[in-house]
Amino acid sequence: LTLRLMCMVGPAPGDPATAKAHGKSEQGLDGFLEKLRDPPPGTENYSIKLGFTDKAKGVVLTTDQMAPNVEFMWVYQIKASGDHFTALLSDTPEYIRNIKPDDRVEFAKSDIFDWMYTENGKVKGNYTACPLLLSGPKEQLEQYREIYGIVCD
């Protein structure tokens, strides 16, 4: 059970529970960005989930989970400048070919699909993990709740 594994998997595109989780993520985004800019003691591992699609050269970002060939992945080492950001790709793409782990990504606040960080060892955010956890084995949900502090409603 690793935090990285938890971040990489996700439900099928168009899943209503994922759309609801994205809405929950949007509601807490400003608070997350405040903490990202001035991290309180005990917080670390700030990450943002973005939706990527390939284009002729490079990639295009989208928050539309119904977009063709969209792959949602996490970025880390985030640097903020107003509502514009740069970060490094954390995940290894499964389908997207024009980007690889540790490539620099530029994005706007409006491109953010989900976010997370850890506070005293417990995950905050990562709302899009809940639809997957709720559809899986109950024991797995309990393990994630115990280990990472993720509470899905």
Side-chain angles (χ1 to χ4, degrees):
L1 234 42
T2 67
L3 186 59
R4 185 167 172 77
L5 175 64
M6 176 181 64
C7 299
M8 291 173 59
V9 291
D15 177 65
T18 300
K20 181 181 174 187
H22 173 58
K24 202 169 179 180
S25 170
E26 285 182 317
Q27 291 172 0
L29 182 57
D30 287 336
F32 167 80
L33 293 175
E34 282 178 32
K35 287 184 171 144
L36 173 69
R37 287 182 173 98
D38 187 18
T43 65
E44 61 185 346
N45 301 321
Y46 287 82
S47 299
I48 289 175
K49 185 183 265 188
L50 303 170
F52 296 84
T53 57
D54 276 328
K55 63 178 187 176
K57 291 187 182 211
V59 293
V60 176
L61 297 173
T62 181
T63 57
D64 180 1
Q65 60 170 329
M66 295 301 292
N69 305 315
V70 65
E71 186 169 356
F72 290 93
M73 296 180 282
W74 293 91
V75 296
Y76 71 112
Q77 290 188 4
I78 305 154
K79 306 280 187 240
S81 177
D83 283 347
H84 296 279
F85 306 87
T86 59
L88 301 179
L89 184 66
S90 176
D91 296 327
T92 300
E94 210 172 313
Y95 309 106
I96 303 299
R97 297 290 166 233
N98 292 336
I99 194 168
K100 62 188 180 313
D102 292 326
D103 277 358
R104 182 158 302 287
V105 179
E106 294 183 19
F107 58 99
K109 179 181 175 183
S110 60
D111 294 319
I112 297 172
F113 193 74
D114 198 359
W115 51 265
M116 73 172 182
Y117 63 96
T118 56
E119 184 172 3
N120 300 318
K122 299 296 181 186
V123 172
K124 302 295 180 183
N126 197 8
Y127 297 108
T128 54
C130 284
L132 180 69
L133 291 172
L134 288 169
S135 66
K138 189 173 184 206
E139 312 80 60
Q140 186 180 31
L141 177 61
E142 292 302 320
Q143 283 181 310
Y144 278 92
R145 183 174 301 155
E146 188 177 313
I147 295 169
Y148 298 114
I150 292 180
V151 178
C152 300
D153 45 18

